[in-house]
Amino acid sequence: VSRALQDSPLVQRQTKERVIAVAAKYGYSVNRHAQRLRSKRTNTIAVVLHLPPSYGRAVAAPFIFQLLADVSRALSIRHQDLLLCSAETDEAPAYERMLASKGADALIFLGQGAGTGWLDDLARTHAPFVVWGAVDDDQGFCAVGSDNLKGGMLAGRRFAEMGRENVLFVGDRAHAEIELRRQGLERGLKQAGRGVTIRDLSLADFSFESAYAVMQDFLQNGGERPDAVFAASDTIAMAVIVALQEAGLQVPRDTSVIGYNDIAYAAHFSPPLTTVRQDTHQGGTLLVEKLFQILDGAKPPSVKLPTELIVRGT
Amino acid sequence: VSRALQDSPLVQRQTKERVIAVAAKYGYSVNRHAQRLRSKRTNTIAVVLHLPPSYGRAVAAPFIFQLLADVSRALSIRHQDLLLCSAETDEAPAYERMLASKGADALIFLGQGAGTGWLDDLARTHAPFVVWGAVDDDQGFCAVGSDNLKGGMLAGRRFAEMGRENVLFVGDRAHAEIELRRQGLERGLKQAGRGVTIRDLSLADFSFESAYAVMQDFLQNGGERPDAVFAASDTIAMAVIVALQEAGLQVPRDTSVIGYNDIAYAAHFSPPLTTVRQDTHQGGTLLVEKLFQILDGAKPPSVKLPTELIVRGT
DNA sequence: TTGAAAGCGCTAACAG
DNA sequence: CTGTTAGCGCTTTCAA
């Protein structure tokens, strides 16, 4: 029966059909636990979501959910179950246990949070996993992410072309990805050869609310007003624009703003948001592909996905 | 060992500690498949996401992801694993098989799509599941959802108070939830005792893009311009507003617009969106609570969550 | 090509 | 309170 239902070539077609018919008749279906216990394959991938701590009521992390949807699609093509976990802990042992107990064959981390030391710890245990986030050659693990440095440079160059000279960066530089975007900004600006000031506005999280509050405060007490703002995410960019407008500045006339991610709402914001796009569809596919290479014993390199400046109205 | 690690009261504290220490020393952890095979409990709930078919690149379903996050939290409190499935099929047998093979103990459907007949089919098999969506006493299953009729009435009454007389409803009435909102709108308007026209604009999906296209077409060829629009979702409302503004109408001066869901971006839209809020946090908690009552053999009634009109700038 | 049987790692019933 | 053991439902090796 087992062989027939797995479509083994050892079983004659006739016999298979007979077995399948009987199984259907009696509503039989294999018990996955017994199957997995015996075969020692779980066929489950755990996806760990690193949701930003939600400020107030709503979890606004459209980018990460978009990525989740794309990963889910890629996994279902490979007939893998998706075990969804929220990152409650940033410690390697919790994930080691999840693998040891066969909760999943491997892990995908979406959004790596601020510190990444524990990911290196996890890599040292030879746990099979991939990460969406910053790509760095020193990492002991395989990461897939947008080319944040390049993305930042795109923004920097654009500001330079527009003759902007007083640039503000808004975002939490403790995140490796954000820090790279910041460095790219600087490089893009410098390549254009202009003497430019970059100031930084630090944020505790990615929420609209905290970005709005911090930006408002900055505009009231921060001295000179910036003629360009590069935001670490689209949500932050939207908050920045609202604060700028309320302070009497026009976007993009007085201040030009660029966001990051190109979430669905960016195009529908008013004015439509100029932003750096990352291709989550490709990202999800690649993440899963790399993970299976790892499960097959390979050690695939990290990838930086190309990045594109979508020029709209800001 | 088994008893010690499960913290059974049959085992002495000393013995437990000794067992735990040895387990830790050798990095032992229980094999979940063996555990589940033997104990016949899966401790996994499958969550089936009914994502609207994505138009173009991005899956913009912030409401459903918000709900997913809240369900995830509620499940993790009960130490249940969350198996994420995308609804690839709207047929009962696929889900019966998932339960029969012990892939999950029960199911949660988030967003029930257009037809719901198959949910009744599934209920007839006594499969344990709950649904987020329209609540209807004739349903053979337990549903949790916002009070869509009431939500629609809130919008209708508001329009009536403002003296609006030429109302447009935009949304796909084939969805039970949407149809209820539409009925509520009518009732709210009628209660105010005014002679009011309601026209309908039908939509194939929930995307910004298709709502925008349909609305644009309507404004060009649809005869009289509406002085009020009730949209089936916030995303649709945003598309409607953009189309209205491009057609030279001012919101809310010429046309008043109300959305549904109060997604995070509603408050940050320009102008900030007036909308009907549903409490997803409570929704997620309730969904899980009801599900466990069902697993305990009860037959809990469906619930309609209270609904609130959030008056902002449209 | 099919059948028989061992054993995956655990829990729970039973005996002590 | 602790130890022993049967058996959950499957896959796979071995024998026929």
Side-chain angles (χ1 to χ4, degrees):
Chain A
V1 168
S2 181
R3 282 188 292 239
L5 292 179
Q6 320 247 349
D7 204 23
S8 155
L10 291 172
V11 180
Q12 233 163 4
R13 197 166 54 77
Q14 264 192 17
T15 320
K16 274 182 200 169
E17 279 167 8
R18 203 148 50 92
V19 171
I20 289 168
V22 175
K25 181 173 168 195
Y26 293 95
Y28 168 86
S29 55
V30 302
N31 181 311
R32 296 160 91 141
H33 303 311
Q35 192 172 49
R36 289 169 176 183
L37 172 59
R38 178 59 229 235
S39 68
K40 298 183 176 292
R41 294 214 60 206
T42 298
N43 288 319
T44 298
I45 305 297
V47 174
V48 183
L49 241 48
H50 227 290
L51 290 179
S54 67
Y55 184 105
R57 209 174 42 83
V59 178
F63 179 75
I64 231 137
F65 283 117
Q66 172 68 48
L67 204 49
L68 173 64
D70 286 314
V71 166
S72 157
R73 200 187 21 69
L75 285 176
S76 87
I77 289 170
R78 290 180 186 256
H79 305 290
Q80 297 292 311
D81 284 351
L82 192 168
L83 185 64
L84 188 68
C85 313
S86 294
E88 269 151 28
T89 168
D90 276 0
E91 309 220 327
Y95 300 110
E96 287 174 53
R97 242 173 289 130
M98 152 148 267
L99 294 169
S101 68
K102 308 291 175 201
D105 291 327
L107 302 155
I108 299 180
F109 293 96
L110 262 29
Q112 70 205 70
T116 60
W118 63 277
L119 282 173
D120 285 313
D121 294 347
L122 190 58
R124 248 172 256 120
T125 68
H126 301 287
F129 71 93
V130 293
V131 178
W132 173 272
V135 174
D136 178 345
D137 295 332
D138 297 346
Q139 287 163 334
F141 51 85
C142 175
V144 175
S146 89
D147 191 338
N148 291 288
L149 192 75
K150 176 86 179 311
M153 285 172 65
L154 255 24
R157 265 188 236 146
R158 167 98 186 146
F159 287 152
E161 280 164 18
M162 299 171 77
R164 307 286 168 159
E165 310 198 302
N166 184 357
V167 179
L168 180 68
F169 181 82
V170 186
D172 179 5
R173 294 176 65 177
H175 281 68
E177 291 191 274
I178 307 304
E179 174 59 22
L180 284 167
R181 292 173 199 173
R182 168 66 174 72
Q183 286 173 17
L185 173 72
E186 188 158 353
R187 199 179 293 187
L189 247 13
K190 290 229 170 108
Q191 277 183 353
R194 308 169 116 270
V196 160
T197 330
I198 305 182
R199 282 178 292 171
D200 283 280
L201 205 50
S202 186
L203 247 46
D205 57 47
F206 284 80
S207 73
F208 186 99
E209 283 75 10
S210 71
Y212 175 71
V214 167
M215 187 67 191
Q216 216 173 23
D217 179 68
F218 174 82
L219 288 168
Q220 276 163 22
N221 315 311
E224 205 182 342
R225 273 133 189 240
D227 60 8
V229 180
F230 183 34
S233 78
D234 288 339
T235 304
I236 295 172
M238 293 181 191
V240 163
I241 290 169
V242 173
L244 284 168
Q245 288 171 337
E246 287 178 6
L249 291 165
Q250 282 196 29
V251 176
R253 201 197 59 191
D254 302 322
T255 304
S256 172
V257 178
I258 299 182
Y260 211 102
N261 285 344
D262 193 26
I263 59 174
Y265 290 95
H268 313 142
F269 196 68
S270 160
L273 204 58
T274 297
T275 186
V276 178
R277 175 184 293 173
Q278 359 190 16
D279 184 347
T280 59
H281 185 87
Q282 202 193 340
T285 308
L286 228 40
L287 235 16
V288 171
E289 214 164 87
K290 297 270 173 189
L291 188 59
F292 278 84
Q293 289 172 13
I294 292 171
L295 285 172
D296 288 344
K299 223 188 147 303
S302 294
V303 220
K304 281 182 202 150
L305 260 34
T307 241
E308 187 187 358
L309 184 69
I310 307 293
V311 177
R312 289 198 270 249
T314 64
Chain B
V1 169
S2 180
R3 282 188 293 240
L5 291 179
Q6 321 248 350
D7 203 22
S8 154
L10 292 172
V11 180
Q12 231 164 6
R13 197 166 54 77
Q14 265 193 15
T15 319
K16 275 182 201 171
E17 279 166 9
R18 203 148 48 92
V19 170
I20 289 167
V22 175
K25 181 174 167 195
Y26 291 96
Y28 168 86
S29 54
V30 301
N31 180 310
R32 296 159 90 140
H33 302 311
Q35 192 172 48
R36 288 169 176 184
L37 172 59
R38 177 61 232 229
S39 67
K40 298 183 175 291
R41 292 215 61 207
T42 298
N43 287 320
T44 298
I45 305 298
V47 174
V48 183
L49 241 49
H50 226 288
L51 290 180
S54 66
Y55 185 106
R57 211 176 38 85
V59 178
F63 178 75
I64 231 138
F65 283 118
Q66 172 68 47
L67 204 50
L68 174 63
D70 286 314
V71 166
S72 157
R73 198 187 23 68
L75 286 175
S76 88
I77 289 170
R78 290 181 185 254
H79 305 289
Q80 297 292 311
D81 284 350
L82 191 168
L83 184 65
L84 188 67
C85 313
S86 294
E88 271 151 29
T89 168
D90 275 3
E91 308 221 327
Y95 300 110
E96 287 174 54
R97 240 173 289 130
M98 151 148 268
L99 293 169
S101 68
K102 308 292 174 201
D105 290 327
L107 303 155
I108 300 180
F109 294 95
L110 261 30
Q112 68 205 69
T116 60
W118 63 277
L119 283 173
D120 285 313
D121 294 347
L122 190 57
R124 250 171 254 123
T125 69
H126 301 288
F129 71 94
V130 292
V131 177
W132 172 271
V135 174
D136 178 344
D137 296 331
D138 298 345
Q139 287 162 333
F141 51 86
C142 175
V144 176
S146 88
D147 190 338
N148 290 288
L149 193 75
K150 176 87 180 310
M153 285 173 66
L154 255 23
R157 266 189 233 143
R158 167 96 185 146
F159 287 152
E161 279 164 18
M162 299 171 77
R164 306 287 168 161
E165 310 198 301
N166 183 356
V167 179
L168 180 68
F169 180 81
V170 186
D172 179 6
R173 296 175 65 177
H175 280 68
E177 290 190 276
I178 307 304
E179 174 59 22
L180 284 167
R181 292 173 199 173
R182 167 67 173 72
Q183 286 173 18
L185 172 72
E186 187 159 354
R187 200 180 293 188
L189 246 14
K190 290 229 170 107
Q191 276 182 354
R194 308 169 116 269
V196 160
T197 329
I198 306 182
R199 281 179 293 172
D200 283 281
L201 205 48
S202 186
L203 247 44
D205 58 48
F206 285 81
S207 74
F208 186 98
E209 284 75 9
S210 71
Y212 175 71
V214 167
M215 188 65 192
Q216 218 174 21
D217 179 68
F218 174 81
L219 289 168
Q220 276 163 23
N221 315 311
E224 205 182 345
R225 271 127 192 247
D227 60 7
V229 180
F230 182 34
S233 78
D234 288 340
T235 304
I236 295 172
M238 292 181 191
V240 163
I241 290 169
V242 173
L244 285 168
Q245 288 170 337
E246 287 179 4
L249 291 165
Q250 281 197 29
V251 176
R253 201 198 60 191
D254 302 322
T255 305
S256 174
V257 178
I258 299 183
Y260 211 101
N261 286 346
D262 194 25
I263 61 173
Y265 290 95
H268 313 141
F269 195 69
S270 162
L273 204 59
T274 297
T275 186
V276 178
R277 177 184 291 172
Q278 0 189 17
D279 184 346
T280 61
H281 186 87
Q282 202 193 340
T285 308
L286 229 40
L287 235 16
V288 171
E289 213 165 88
K290 297 272 173 187
L291 188 59
F292 278 84
Q293 289 172 12
I294 292 171
L295 285 172
D296 287 344
K299 224 190 148 302
S302 295
V303 220
K304 281 182 204 152
L305 260 34
T307 241
E308 187 186 358
L309 183 70
I310 308 292
V311 177
R312 289 198 271 250
T314 63

